Amino acid sequence: MGTVRTAIPGLDELIEGGYIENDIILVTGGPGAGKTTLGIQYLVGGATNFNEPGVLVVMDGTPERIIRDSWRFGWDIEKLISQKKIKIIYANPFKYTKFTKTPEDRTPCVIVASKNIADTLRQIQIEVEEIQAKRLFIDSITSLKLAVDRTDVRQIVSELIKNLEYLDCTTLMTSEMHSAQSFSIEEYLSSGVIRLHIFRAGGCRLRAIEILKMRGVKHDESLHPYEIQERGIVVHSTETVMNDKISLFDNMGW
Ligand SMILES: Nc1ncnc2c1ncn2[C@@H]1O[C@H](COP(=O)(O)OP(=O)(O)OP(=O)(O)O)[C@@H](O)[C@H]1O
Ligand SMILES: [Mg+2]
């Protein structure tokens, strides 16, 4: 079993060198925690430094927005798309009724105009095969959970995760975290869970990363500070954060 480098400075050190090949890893955290950035950095780093192409599935926000925000970190997604190192699938489950590209919309992406998870999975398989992708990033499955009936959530999430396991890809997916004290269905079903916490401590904001689980890995169990810098996320793996700070998300009345 090989390992897949995370492309996040400091993160590989916490998980014995990288993600286990073909695993499904969940990245969870509150608003603005850096979930999307961590996933895009994984794809861009893989394509640029490790010759591992990647597929991005946009379920939240738009591809234009992701491409624009990536520029801030110096990541040229459009160039990587033209080199067939990245492919974008736009699968917004809320827009499936009237969902076509306008002529002025030049974002290079494939659209899945369906609320049905099987259609999205089929398209993912096509695009993964086309560019021989080794990395997959789905942002975020919370949109999918909100788009289906409450009673179907568990079944849809487990169907998604089970099917992703058949791909020859190492998958990262994001979901919202509403409380640091409770767990979601996707946290149980994924092979690994990375939590991005934001704490308030003495008028300052502190970001801390935690490896909640990583099956088959003797992973680090402490909270470590991370920063979102000019060139993306950096984890300070040799520093730790005391768990006596106030979590912003448990303080918001969720
Ligand atoms: N160039 C930058 N330099 C430093 N910090 C930045 C920069 N760009 C964005 N950020 C920080 O990153 C945050 C957004 O990160 P990101 O979009 O990855 O978070 P997210 O967890 O995906 O959020 P959401 O829940 O809204 O999807 C911003 O709120 C800001 O704090
Ligand atoms: Mg996001």
Side-chain angles (χ1 to χ4, degrees), residues 1 5-6 9 16 20 25 33 41 50 73 90 132 136 142 157 174 185 195 215 217 234 240 245-246:
M1 238 170 355
R5 306 284 296 274
T6 64
E16 295 191 306
I20 293 180
I25 315 293
Q41 194 168 338
F50 307 115
F73 299 110
Y90 186 17
Q132 307 260 297
L136 175 66
T142 301
V157 171
T174 61
I185 172 75
R195 281 185 161 195
R215 287 181 192 147
V217 177
V234 173
T240 52
K245 306 279 187 296
I246 298 163

Side-chain angles (χ1 to χ4, degrees), residues 27-40 60 65 69 71-73 137 139-140 174-176 196 198 205 207 226-233:
V27 180
T28 179
K35 304 179 292 294
T36 302
T37 309
L38 191 134
I40 300 294
D60 192 17
R65 182 70 211 233
D69 291 348
W71 267 116
R72 281 297 310 269
F73 299 110
F137 173 43
D139 190 32
S140 84
T174 61
S175 81
E176 289 172 8
L196 301 177
I198 301 182
R205 182 175 280 195
R207 297 177 188 272
Y226 70 95
E227 287 179 284
I228 304 178
Q229 297 182 350
E230 293 272 287
R231 287 284 171 268
I233 295 180

Side-chain angles (χ1 to χ4, degrees), residues 18 30 92 101 104 108 123 130 163 170 210 219 221 233 249:
N92 188 327
K101 260 186 174 179
E104 60 274 15
Q123 201 63 45
E130 192 185 310
N163 280 283
T170 309
E210 177 185 17
H219 62 83
E221 293 183 348
I233 295 180
F249 306 113

Side-chain angles (χ1 to χ4, degrees), residues 190-252:
S190 305
S191 342
V193 178
I194 296 174
R195 281 185 161 195
L196 301 177
H197 299 273
I198 301 182
F199 297 109
R200 199 150 33 205
C204 290
R205 182 175 280 195
L206 181 69
R207 297 177 188 272
I209 191 167
E210 177 185 17
I211 313 301
L212 192 69
K213 77 169 184 187
M214 202 62 69
R215 287 181 192 147
V217 177
K218 193 176 179 306
H219 62 83
D220 188 284
E221 293 183 348
S222 306
L223 283 134
H224 297 275
Y226 70 95
E227 287 179 284
I228 304 178
Q229 297 182 350
E230 293 272 287
R231 287 284 171 268
I233 295 180
V234 173
V235 173
H236 300 291
S237 59
T238 55
E239 294 169 38
T240 52
V241 173
M242 289 298 173
N243 201 3
D244 59 353
K245 306 279 187 296
I246 298 163
S247 168
L248 215 50
F249 306 113
D250 282 336
N251 217 10
M252 286 171 132

Side-chain angles (χ1 to χ4, degrees), residues 66-238:
I66 288 191
I67 288 171
R68 204 186 74 200
D69 291 348
S70 297
W71 267 116
R72 281 297 310 269
F73 299 110
W75 304 331
D76 189 345
I77 305 269
E78 279 178 311
K79 185 172 139 207
L80 292 168
I81 291 172
S82 70
Q83 294 171 340
K84 290 204 164 236
K85 289 181 174 172
I86 283 186
K87 266 220 128 161
I88 301 182
I89 299 170
Y90 186 17
N92 188 327
F94 286 108
K95 284 196 171 174
Y96 75 105
T97 41
K98 290 183 288 174
F99 200 28
T100 47
K101 260 186 174 179
T102 54
E104 60 274 15
D105 181 2
R106 274 189 268 268
T107 317
C109 66
V110 176
I111 288 176
V112 179
S114 167
K115 218 178 188 175
N116 190 334
I117 190 65
D119 294 329
T120 308
L121 282 162
R122 206 168 298 121
Q123 201 63 45
I124 290 173
Q125 191 168 7
I126 291 169
E127 306 309 331
V128 162
E129 279 170 14
E130 192 185 310
I131 63 163
Q132 307 260 297
K134 299 309 273 171
R135 297 177 178 227
L136 175 66
F137 173 43
I138 302 176
D139 190 32
S140 84
I141 66 161
T142 301
S143 299
L144 187 69
K145 287 169 71 179
L146 294 172
V148 299
D149 282 344
R150 262 183 99 106
T151 47
D152 294 338
V153 166
R154 201 183 172 90
Q155 198 243 320
I156 301 264
V157 171
S158 77
E159 192 183 327
L160 173 74
I161 292 176
K162 273 202 203 93
N163 280 283
L164 292 173
E165 282 167 356
Y166 291 111
L167 292 174
D168 190 15
C169 260
T170 309
T171 301
L172 240 61
M173 57 188 193
T174 61
S175 81
E176 289 172 8
M177 177 168 66
H178 290 171
S179 157
Q181 262 79 52
S182 65
F183 304 100
S184 57
I185 172 75
E186 55 273 24
E187 287 185 298
Y188 289 102
L189 297 177
S190 305
S191 342
V193 178
I194 296 174
R195 281 185 161 195
L196 301 177
H197 299 273
I198 301 182
F199 297 109
R200 199 150 33 205
C204 290
R205 182 175 280 195
L206 181 69
R207 297 177 188 272
I209 191 167
E210 177 185 17
I211 313 301
L212 192 69
K213 77 169 184 187
M214 202 62 69
R215 287 181 192 147
V217 177
K218 193 176 179 306
H219 62 83
D220 188 284
E221 293 183 348
S222 306
L223 283 134
H224 297 275
Y226 70 95
E227 287 179 284
I228 304 178
Q229 297 182 350
E230 293 272 287
R231 287 284 171 268
I233 295 180
V234 173
V235 173
H236 300 291
S237 59
T238 55

